[in-house]
Structures are given as C-alpha cells and as structure tokens.
Amino acid sequence: MTTDLLARRAARLGPNVPTFYNDPVHIVRGEGVWLWDAAGRKYLDCYNNVPHVGHCHPHVVEAITRQAATLNTHTRYLHDAILDYADRLTANLKHDISQMIMVCTGSEANDIALRMAQAVTGKTGFIATDNTYHGNTTAVAQLSTRRPPIGGYPGHVRLVPAPESVAPLGGSAEAQPQVFAENIARAIAELEATGQGFAGLMLCPSFANEGFPTVSPGFLDPTVEVVKRAGGLILCDEVQPGFGRLGSHFWGHDWLGFAPDVVTIGKPMANGHPVAAVLTRPDIMETFRTAFGYFNTFGGNPVSCAAAMATLDVLEHEGMQQNALNVGTYALSQLAQIEHPLKAEARGQGLFFGIEFTHPDGSPATTFTARVVEGMRARGVLLNRIGRHMNTLKMRPPMPFAQAHADLAINTLREVLSELPVD
C-alpha cells in the first residue's frame, strides 16, 4: 500500500515531495501523543508541535465543529471572535505588543514582519543566521538556508554564522554572544554601505532550526544593542518555542530576555488548524497599515479564532506549560545519562530536546544520526534530526507528553544506540 501511495503522490503532486523516513508512515488516526498507521500500528509522537495540545484534542475539535456550524466569514465583516482572541493572547505579551494580524501560515506571518520593518525604517536589508528557516514565500525563503534561491542570495540579505554548541563562535560559550553581535554589526555595515540599508534581524529565540544550541538568557543582549543602535527592528519567530513549549516561559523571547518589535506565531496556536499571526506595537502597526494595503481572506475567520481560543483553554486548564517544564527537565536528565562514543552533547529546554552526535575527530556523525532516526521509527517512536549537518536528534513532542512517554522514548533510544554500529 505504501508503494501505491508513493506512486500516486508522484503522479499527482510531482517529484521530490518530502516525506519522513526511508519507509514513510501512512498515518490514519491520532490521539494525544499517539499516532496510528493504516495497518493499526501505534507510534509515540516525539516530533510534532503542530498538534500542540495533543492530536485531535476533543475541546479543540468541538470548538471548530460548533463554530463551523454557526458562521465562517472574513474580517471585512465584524465579528467578536478575532477581538476576543486578540485580547486574550496579547495579555500574555509584554513590551507594549498589543495588536495583531491573523493569517494562515507562519510563512505569511514572517512575510508581513519583513514588510513591517521596511515600513518603519524605509530600508530593505535583512539579516538572519546562515542555518535557519522562516518559511516559503519568496521574501522569507531568501532568508532561509535549506536551498539557496535561484540566482543566489539577493543583495539585501545577509546571513551570519549561527550560534553553535559543540563548536561555539569565538571558540567558547563565553565568547559566543559578543562574536555573534560583531557579525551582526558587520552585516549591518555592509547593508548600509551597499545602499539597501538595515531594516531588521529575523531570528528564532531558541535557534530551533540551527539545532537548538545551548545558549543562556542574556545571549542576545550585545546583539540587541547593535540592532537598536542601527535603527533596525528585531523580528522574533516564535513558531517553534512559543506557547509554553520551553516550560519556564510562555515565549522564547521572554526566556532569552529581550524585547522584540514584532512577534510571529503559527503552527501550534490552533492545534493544527491553519492559523498564524503577527503581533506588534501600535506604532509599528500604524506605520505598516499606512504603507501597505493588506487583507487576508481566511486570516482571522471565526473558525480559526475558535480553534486558537480553544487551544489556549487547554494550555491553561490542563497545566501544559508546567508539564513541559517538569517532563522536559526529567527527559533532559535522562538523555544526559546516556553514554555513547559518538554523543557530543545532550541539550534542550522544556519539551524540545535531543542529542548531537559527532565522530571522535569532531566531524558531524550525520549518517549515524539518520540511522538512529530510522531505528526509532522501526520501533514505533517518531522523531527526526536537525542542525547544520543534520546530526542532532530533534525531539519536540505534543505538550501532553508525560514522564512515562519520555521513559518509553529514551529507553527505546538506548536500545537503538546499543545496536547500531558506530563506524
């Protein structure tokens, strides 16, 4: 059946449509932290942050169903739901961030964030790290590094070295914050010298796609000073760390300790319903709304708002942020105890953790890490890998993930690591 499905995908969707795993999983049902395939096999989901409060959470499903049966339209008509959600969500934000545009995808949200920076500064140049991903519109794809744009990176984009754990910038964890800021300063100077000017820095506060390196609160302080002195905006992509995943804080930027000008959110905010948003201060919103005419047909529709509101309900009523802190701390302690000749570092925060593997000479153990991912899938645990060389296991489960689930995943990982050859 898998072979037939892959053939149908190629015939109808075209070539090179990505799938996870050498033997892709045909998923037909989900509940909580579990997924089932077409043959009835059960998998522990240690990867998906889209069903943030758990696959098919009944409260979210009921909210979507009820609203879809009542009204679904766009924001050129008045409805309360978008305002109720904006009130509730922005109450969780500081730094005078109190206004919102709702869209359908994180890519759209990040695209708007770039335009906000252009509107405020009158400049067009942007900076991101050299190992990141912020979406797939033309504008944000030019910042992303999975595949270079056709024709190469445009002149208004500068990519600076991403922070690292095993091989930190400047040779040490202590030197890394200042070196990162110095690289930002050089990129700003280049953009100003070439005429584009510096509009903004876009980053994920947990540097998720960079391999979630170990950094500490205050890491960005020198960078923030550089960006503010240059008159640029800090555009904070919270799609992965936001909504309590880090455990100690609801937002990644609050954990890292800086004040963003624009915050973008997406995947987790409505538990899989296609919703995203841009959040910012009133002064920035006014400048953007004056400079750009923007309307999104599906953004902020009542059904999306109901899904997003219900997701907040579950996060609060079921104590999921505290669960992320408790279970994440436990899981990381268990990963730290694993001994393996290729293990370079166990790291993470909250329900976002993993292990980086390197060879004895320090080179990335990319092929080995890929085998670990496949071995886990074969034993019924779904996770993946990330980082510049794809040699870091990425475990980012739904928020109901409990200590028993962590034990199952990590004990399975121990089995896989004990069986795989290291050459």
Side-chain angles (χ1 to χ4, degrees), residues 89-99 248-251 253-255 257-263 279-282:
L89 183 65
T90 57
N92 282 318
L93 286 151
K94 305 171 186 174
H95 320 301
D96 298 322
I97 294 174
S98 62
Q99 295 189 350
S248 60
H249 294 75
F250 198 80
W251 302 111
H253 62 265
D254 283 336
W255 166 73
F258 70 96
D261 298 292
V262 181
V263 171
L279 301 131
T280 192
R281 302 191 306 267

Side-chain angles (χ1 to χ4, degrees), residues 350-369:
L351 289 180
F352 202 146
F353 44 83
I355 295 177
E356 181 171 350
F357 294 100
T358 62
H359 295 295
D361 64 0
S363 61
T366 301
T367 301
F368 176 81
T369 310

Side-chain angles (χ1 to χ4, degrees), residues 308-323:
M309 188 74 88
T311 301
L312 286 181
D313 289 343
V314 178
L315 279 171
E316 294 174 9
H317 297 161
E318 298 187 14
M320 288 191 173
Q321 182 178 337
Q322 185 64 45
N323 181 69

Side-chain angles (χ1 to χ4, degrees), residues 134-152:
H134 293 291
N136 53 28
T137 69
T138 297
V140 293
Q142 291 172 341
L143 302 180
S144 302
T145 53
R146 289 185 175 179
R147 292 188 181 180
I150 292 174

Side-chain angles (χ1 to χ4, degrees), residues 194-369:
T194 54
Q196 287 91 356
F198 172 55
L201 166 67
M202 180 167 278
L203 56 82
C204 165
S206 64
F207 297 99
N209 285 291
E210 291 86 339
F212 54 99
T214 299
V215 296
S216 301
F219 171 83
L220 272 186
D221 288 357
T223 294
V224 170
E225 182 179 347
V226 166
V227 170
K228 293 304 180 184
R229 188 166 61 240
L233 270 59
I234 299 179
L235 315 174
C236 182
D237 184 339
E238 288 274 4
V239 170
Q240 295 196 65
F243 290 90
R245 176 162 295 279
L246 300 186
S248 60
H249 294 75
F250 198 80
W251 302 111
H253 62 265
D254 283 336
W255 166 73
L256 208 52
F258 70 96
D261 298 292
V262 181
V263 171
T264 57
I265 53 179
K267 297 176 180 124
M269 69 181 287
N271 215 47
H273 195 78
V275 188
V278 189
L279 301 131
T280 192
R281 302 191 306 267
D283 59 306
I284 295 175
M285 185 69 81
E286 181 179 4
T287 303
F288 169 77
R289 287 294 193 184
T290 301
F292 291 93
Y294 185 83
F295 171 68
N296 188 305
T297 299
F298 298 110
N301 72 78
V303 174
S304 293
C305 292
M309 188 74 88
T311 301
L312 286 181
D313 289 343
V314 178
L315 279 171
E316 294 174 9
H317 297 161
E318 298 187 14
M320 288 191 173
Q321 182 178 337
Q322 185 64 45
N323 181 69
L325 177 61
N326 296 343
V327 177
T329 301
Y330 172 79
L332 187 57
S333 72
Q334 295 301 301
L335 290 177
Q337 294 176 30
I338 289 178
E339 296 183 1
H340 190 273
L342 301 188
K343 177 187 172 187
E345 182 183 49
R347 59 176 179 264
Q349 187 178 3
L351 289 180
F352 202 146
F353 44 83
I355 295 177
E356 181 171 350
F357 294 100
T358 62
H359 295 295
D361 64 0
S363 61
T366 301
T367 301
F368 176 81
T369 310

